[in-house]
Amino acid sequence: MVKLVVATTVDPASICPAKELLAKPGWQPGPTLDQSIRSFSNGDVRLLEHNKGIVEEDDLDQRWENATGQTVDEVIFLSKHTAVSNRPALTIHPIGVPHLKEGDVPPQGGKPGWAAPPNPRMGPWMVLLNKIAESHNLIPEFEITFEATHHGPMTTKPTMFIEIGSTEEYWRRLDAAQVVALLVWEGLGLGGGPPVGNWSSTSANNKVLLGIGGGHYVPRHTDVIKKDGCWVGQLLSGYSLPMEDPGPSKGKVNAQDIAGTWKHSIIAAYDATKAGFPGGEILAHLDQKSFKSWQKNAIIEFLGAQNIKIGKPGDFC
C-alpha cells in the first residue's frame, strides 16, 4: 500500500512545498508515469510531479496502480488557494462536485454528481497544521481553516487537498511551503514518528462528521473539528445543496416536493464518507443557522428518511 502526494510545477503553492519535502532525507527517484509525470519514493510514500493544472490529471491513483502494481490507499494534493479577500490562508478540504447534474461542465475538474472518499487524516491534520503554523509564527497572519467540497480531479481513493492562499505573494512564501511540507512529513510518519490520522473503526470514537450547510469555509463545522481533531468526512456548503424555493404554502412542504440536486448531493457525500471511513458511524452536522426554515426542515426530513443520524458538536469529541 502506498500513499500518493501530488504536486504540479505550474503552481508555486504546489511545487514549493514539494521541493521542501524532497529536501528532507530518504527520497529516491522513482518511475516516470505516462512518460511525463516524475515520481520520488520514500518508504510507502510516492511524490508525483506533473506539468498540468492540479485538477487536470484525473485517476492518478488508478493510473499508478496500473503502471506499478502498487495499491494506492490515499491521495494528497498540494495546491494554491484563491480568495476574493486575498487573505493569507492554509486550508484543507475534501473534493467532489456532488451537486452538479449530468450534462453540467465542472469548472474545476471532477465528474457531475461525484464525490471522492474523504481522507480520514483531515481532522487530525487540521490540529497538527495549527500547531506547526503557530510554531513557525504564521498565526495570526494566516488563517487556518477547512474549505467545503468543491472541485476535482477524479480519484477513487481517500483524498484531500492542502492549499496555500491567497495571492502570488503567499503562494511563494518559503515559510508557508515549509509548514505544508512539515505537515506531510510528520503527518505521514516520514520523520520516524507515528503517522497522524490513521483511521480505525475500532478506535474509542468512531463517529465521523458529515458537514451540511454553511459558507465556503464552513466555520461551524471547522470549529467543531479544530477543537478536538475529530474525524471529518465530506463538507457540503450551501452552494452544494441547490434547493428550489417551493413558494408560499398553507400546508407542510415535504422534502420530496423541493426540487434541485440537494438530495443527490447529500447521498453522494454520505456514501463517499462511508467509503472513506469503513465501519465508522457517519453523523450529519448541520449549520442550522445557514438555512431558511423550510430548507432546514426539508433536510432534516430527508436525512431521517435516509436513516442518516444528526449529531451535535459534543457527539464528535
Side-chain angles (χ1 to χ4, degrees):
M1 303 283 277
V2 299
K3 310 168 194 316
L4 298 187
V5 179
V6 183
T8 171
T9 60
V10 301
D11 174 0
S14 180
I15 194 62
C16 291
K19 287 181 177 178
E20 291 298 313
L21 188 58
L22 289 173
K24 298 182 182 298
W27 293 98
Q28 300 292 331
T32 300
L33 182 64
D34 299 340
Q35 300 183 328
S36 62
I37 300 176
R38 297 167 297 284
S39 76
F40 303 87
S41 173
N42 193 338
D44 63 352
V45 180
R46 307 291 181 264
L47 191 150
L48 276 56
E49 286 184 358
H50 64 74
N51 302 316
K52 296 181 180 179
I54 197 69
V55 300
E56 295 178 29
E57 288 282 7
D58 285 330
D59 303 313
L60 282 170
D61 48 355
Q62 189 62 57
R63 289 157 61 190
W64 182 265
E65 290 185 348
N66 293 341
T68 67
Q70 298 173 347
T71 301
V72 175
D73 61 357
E74 65 181 283
V75 188
I76 300 165
F77 289 92
L78 308 178
S79 177
K80 66 183 178 184
H81 168 67
T82 58
V84 175
S85 68
N86 291 335
R87 181 176 178 179
L90 299 175
T91 76
I92 293 175
H93 69 83
I95 64 171
V97 282
H99 63 293
L100 297 184
K101 59 183 181 296
E102 188 174 353
D104 288 344
V105 178
Q108 294 179 294
K111 178 182 177 181
W114 153 88
N119 192 314
R121 299 189 193 278
M122 291 190 299
W125 277 29
M126 175 56 70
V127 176
L128 180 59
L129 177 58
N130 263 294
K131 178 183 176 182
I132 297 173
E134 192 166 23
S135 71
H136 283 67
N137 299 313
L138 290 189
I139 299 175
E141 180 186 11
F142 279 72
E143 181 180 14
I144 313 298
T145 184
F146 278 97
E147 293 181 77
T149 303
H150 65 292
H151 60 60
M154 288 291 298
T155 62
T156 59
K157 301 300 173 68
T159 300
M160 68 171 160
F161 263 64
I162 305 171
E163 301 185 356
I164 300 173
S166 298
T167 64
E168 185 86 21
E169 173 189 355
Y170 300 108
W171 299 336
R172 296 184 180 277
R173 278 272 292 264
L174 178 60
D175 51 358
Q178 290 172 335
V179 164
V180 171
L182 193 55
L183 173 66
V184 176
W185 180 257
E186 292 188 6
L188 294 180
L190 288 170
V196 177
N198 282 352
W199 163 252
S200 171
S201 61
T202 61
S203 63
N205 183 0
N206 71 342
K207 293 180 173 63
V208 182
L209 184 150
L210 169 65
I212 298 179
H216 182 72
Y217 297 100
V218 291
R220 294 187 185 278
H221 309 315
T222 295
D223 287 345
V224 174
I225 299 160
K226 273 186 173 182
K227 184 178 179 182
D228 290 294
C230 71
W231 303 113
V232 56
Q234 283 287 334
L235 296 168
L236 298 179
S237 69
Y239 61 72
S240 291
L241 298 163
M243 307 175 76
E244 295 185 13
D245 192 333
S249 175
K250 294 182 180 180
K252 180 185 176 183
V253 177
N254 296 316
Q256 63 186 16
D257 299 326
I258 298 175
T261 58
W262 63 280
K263 294 188 285 290
H264 174 83
S265 188
I266 290 174
I267 291 173
Y270 177 79
D271 288 346
T273 301
K274 283 191 68 175
F277 292 88
E281 182 181 2
I282 316 301
L283 299 178
H285 181 258
L286 274 61
D287 183 346
Q288 300 201 28
K289 292 185 177 180
S290 69
F291 296 115
K292 296 178 181 178
S293 61
W294 65 269
Q295 294 174 314
K296 181 178 70 174
N297 292 338
I299 289 172
I300 291 173
E301 179 189 337
F302 180 72
L303 291 172
Q306 300 300 312
N307 294 316
I308 301 174
K309 296 180 181 178
I310 297 174
K312 297 179 180 179
D315 292 332
F316 301 100
C317 302

